[in-house]
Amino acid sequence: MDSNSITIFSPATVANVSCGFDVLGFCLDNIGDKMVIKTTEQKGIYITKIEGYDLPFEAEKNVAGVSALAMYEHAQPDFGFEIEIFKNIKPGSGIGSSSASAVGSVFAMNELLGRPYSKTELTNFAMKGEALASQSEHADNIAPAIFGGFTLVKSVTPLDIIQLPTPKNLYAVILHPQIEVKTSESRAILPKEIPLKHAITQWSNVGSLVHALHTEDYELLKKSLVDVVVEPYRSQLIPHFESVRESALTHGALGCGISGSGPSIFSLCHGHSIAQQVAKAISKVYSKTNIDFEVHISEINTEGIKVLDRY
Ligand code: HSE
């Protein structure tokens, strides 16, 4: 082992991207958690510090611990790992809080072990942690956190991730109402079956969105950022969602939808000045309500999770 301590930045992510429920996602740049992972002589996984939010210290009950244990049991090193979590992403925010934790521990451990695992294998381990939080194994937050940019989860079993290109001048605006929506609950309200005509609209939008990313076609992107399957159900859980969307689109956003399972709302914008206009307009909508909120403007993070320091 060359080093025995590493500090990493684990980014927030937007899953679904309107039409791609459970398959599409992209990575954010300036919102994320910091984690410090150190090797220990004693075997096992130990969570020794959690700052920011009240989360369990027992590895088996903590998302970062569960993904770490999955990798640890596979790697079987003759030493252990200690995990410190500095959580900035509020749990239940809809911007991949549990994924950031799940990904952070396995990415850092892989670095300390000398990178024996591929990004796809890391995604597999991290999905075990994600499943603890959402009671379902999906990878649409984990994949963009690990690979960066836009990703498409082609299949979960076997795991197959496709990296999609990121148009150069694309910005995301995130409005985060300070309420909690549990992923498990916002999955439970979804129908088990959907009408064929909605399925046709949805897969047409996924196809054209992927094409738009490849061709940097912002007009096509705009036409593709539509969700007729999930949003009609979940938007009921997010106060003032329709007003925010209307305002974002009026002020130039290409599209506006629910980030992951909510309550955060994302808008994609062509250029930083439009993103600023949209951020201002949707802040105005929410400041008329009695719900606290945060607004972030972010570039699309094409690098994904990264090492900040190691020694
Ligand atoms: N695709 C997931 C969902 C993302 O929308 O339920 C949230 O973890």
Side-chain angles (χ1 to χ4, degrees):
M1 270 186 297
D2 295 334
S3 58
N4 59 15
S5 173
I6 192 163
T7 305
I8 54 108
F9 171 77
S10 195
T13 45
V14 171
N16 302 337
V17 200
S18 292
C19 52
F21 178 67
D22 272 5
V23 297
L24 285 172
F26 65 81
C27 190
L28 297 170
D29 203 23
N30 49 8
I31 317 166
D33 295 342
K34 210 169 87 172
M35 290 167 77
V36 179
I37 285 83
K38 299 173 188 166
T39 55
T40 56
E41 272 181 30
Q42 191 166 358
K43 285 186 170 190
I45 299 291
Y46 306 95
I47 298 173
T48 53
K49 191 183 269 189
I50 302 175
E51 285 185 7
Y53 292 95
D54 191 16
L55 295 165
F57 277 84
E58 301 97 306
E60 302 76 19
K61 292 185 186 161
N62 182 297
V63 169
V66 170
S67 59
L69 282 167
M71 177 191 268
Y72 190 76
E73 277 153 24
H74 191 272
Q76 305 224 330
D78 57 6
F79 52 89
F81 292 96
E82 185 183 304
I83 303 172
E84 297 178 1
I85 305 169
F86 301 89
K87 198 115 194 86
N88 285 316
I89 316 171
K90 188 172 185 273
S93 57
I95 48 172
S97 178
S98 52
S99 295
S101 297
V103 163
S105 57
V106 295
F107 172 80
M109 284 165 60
N110 192 45
E111 291 291 316
L112 292 172
L113 288 166
R115 292 196 202 146
Y117 295 111
S118 69
K119 288 184 175 183
T120 302
E121 286 169 318
L122 294 186
T123 305
N124 241 327
F125 292 128
M127 280 169 67
K128 306 291 174 222
E130 175 76 296
L132 177 76
S134 63
Q135 274 127 55
S136 105
E137 283 199 7
H138 51 270
D140 53 339
N141 285 108
I142 293 168
I146 292 180
F147 288 82
F150 281 82
T151 53
L152 173 79
V153 182
K154 170 82 180 78
S155 147
V156 167
T157 335
L159 191 58
D160 187 0
I161 310 293
I162 296 175
Q163 283 186 272
L164 300 170
T166 300
K168 277 184 212 68
N169 212 6
L170 198 59
Y171 289 82
V173 180
I174 306 294
L175 182 134
H176 176 198
Q178 302 290 297
I179 55 170
E180 185 179 354
V181 172
K182 286 205 161 63
T183 299
S184 52
E185 285 163 19
S186 72
R187 291 181 82 83
I189 62 165
L190 299 178
K192 298 282 171 284
E193 287 169 10
I194 60 169
L196 184 60
K197 70 172 185 180
H198 289 168
I200 293 167
T201 305
Q202 201 84 352
W203 60 55
S204 152
N205 283 330
V206 174
S208 59
L209 192 144
V210 169
H211 186 68
L213 293 175
H214 274 277
T215 54
E216 296 214 12
D217 185 337
Y218 290 97
E219 273 310 304
L220 185 59
L221 199 56
K222 186 172 178 173
K223 286 193 275 180
S224 312
L225 288 165
V226 178
D227 175 8
V228 297
V229 170
V230 173
E231 192 178 282
Y233 295 91
R234 285 189 171 167
S235 55
Q236 299 157 25
L237 303 175
I238 305 169
H240 315 287
F241 173 75
E242 287 305 334
S243 313
V244 170
R245 186 168 60 172
E246 203 184 306
S247 171
L249 296 177
T250 307
H251 288 84
L254 298 165
C256 175
I258 302 169
S259 176
S261 55
S264 287
I265 301 171
F266 79 95
S267 303
L268 279 174
C269 304
H270 184 186
H272 191 253
S273 61
I274 295 180
Q276 282 177 310
Q277 276 173 42
V278 167
K280 199 169 154 196
I282 62 179
S283 299
K284 207 164 159 189
V285 172
Y286 243 78
S287 55
K288 289 186 190 138
T289 74
N290 56 4
I291 303 169
D292 287 340
F293 65 97
E294 285 176 3
V295 173
H296 306 274
I297 297 177
S298 173
E299 281 185 62
I300 311 302
N301 171 358
T302 52
E303 185 185 0
I305 188 165
K306 66 179 177 199
V307 174
L308 296 178
D309 195 11
R310 66 192 296 167
Y311 53 88

